[in-house]
Amino acid sequence: MAEPGNDYKRKFLVVIDDSKEADRAVSFAAHRVRRTGGTVVLLSVIETQDFAQFLGVEEVMRAEAREAAERLIDARRARIAQIGDIRTETVIREGDLVTEIGRVIAADPAIAILVLAAANSKDGPGPLVTDFAARAGNAALPVIVTIIPGTMTDEQIVAVT
């Protein structure tokens, strides 16, 4: 387990949504940080392209989307608190999901690992996992991409962290 006061600066970036897979990614990142030190960065991206279609209610939709993002982050922070005293940061952005992930990584050189969880679906691991797994060999993505099976239990996650 990481020593209290450990100033290790490595950050684990986790994309937050309401999926079971996001919970698995959060769990992995939190357990890893608990053991090795660092920070879990929780990122929620509000995709705004839908707002422009509804003139006159754009600001209401934006406010509702932000409130929903904040609720998701609060729920994930509560989950992390159950795991231990783990440093967290939160980021809420508006825009294209993949673009904003890249911007957050570019803006914070301490982010060393992007943690994603794969869906257990016949349609594949999910679009985000597919996209970033394809980028992993590309020098344009300067972080490690860790993909957690979405079906892992907490016990299995603890065993590998």
Side-chain angles (χ1 to χ4, degrees), residues 65-84:
R66 184 162 188 90
E67 287 175 17
E70 289 170 353
R71 281 192 304 273
L72 284 172
I73 286 175
D74 287 346
R76 300 304 191 215
R77 289 181 83 184
R79 170 77 174 107
I80 290 170
Q82 292 173 343
I83 294 169

Side-chain angles (χ1 to χ4, degrees), residues 7-84:
D7 288 333
Y8 190 55
K9 304 292 187 213
R10 177 177 60 181
K11 295 180 181 180
F12 292 74
L13 177 63
V14 182
V15 178
I16 300 303
D17 60 24
D18 61 355
S19 69
K20 176 186 172 209
E21 292 81 25
D23 182 66
R24 300 295 74 211
V26 166
S27 183
F28 177 87
H31 281 289
R32 187 74 178 152
V33 165
R34 181 172 171 239
R35 190 172 76 73
T36 65
T39 302
V40 176
V41 179
L42 302 172
L43 170 65
S44 181
V45 177
I46 300 166
E47 298 201 48
T48 57
Q49 73 267 12
D50 294 337
F51 297 164
Q53 297 175 22
F54 301 99
L55 297 175
V57 295
E58 179 178 350
E59 289 308 312
V60 171
M61 291 177 71
R62 180 173 273 115
E64 288 174 352
R66 184 162 188 90
E67 287 175 17
E70 289 170 353
R71 281 192 304 273
L72 284 172
I73 286 175
D74 287 346
R76 300 304 191 215
R77 289 181 83 184
R79 170 77 174 107
I80 290 170
Q82 292 173 343
I83 294 169

Side-chain angles (χ1 to χ4, degrees), residues 67-154:
E67 287 175 17
E70 289 170 353
R71 281 192 304 273
L72 284 172
I73 286 175
D74 287 346
R76 300 304 191 215
R77 289 181 83 184
R79 170 77 174 107
I80 290 170
Q82 292 173 343
I83 294 169
D85 184 21
I86 296 162
R87 237 178 290 166
T88 62
E89 294 178 7
T90 61
V91 179
I92 298 176
R93 294 281 182 98
E94 292 184 12
D96 172 71
L97 179 60
V98 172
T99 301
E100 292 306 317
I101 292 168
R103 287 181 178 158
V104 168
I105 290 169
D108 189 345
I111 294 175
I113 300 172
L114 171 62
V115 181
L116 303 171
N120 185 24
S121 167
K122 63 180 174 68
D123 297 328
L128 199 55
V129 169
T130 300
D131 186 82
F132 280 100
R135 294 172 187 241
N138 183 341
L141 189 65
V143 298
I144 295 168
V145 177
T146 300
I147 301 172
I148 307 305
T151 57
M152 286 185 86
T153 65
D154 282 340

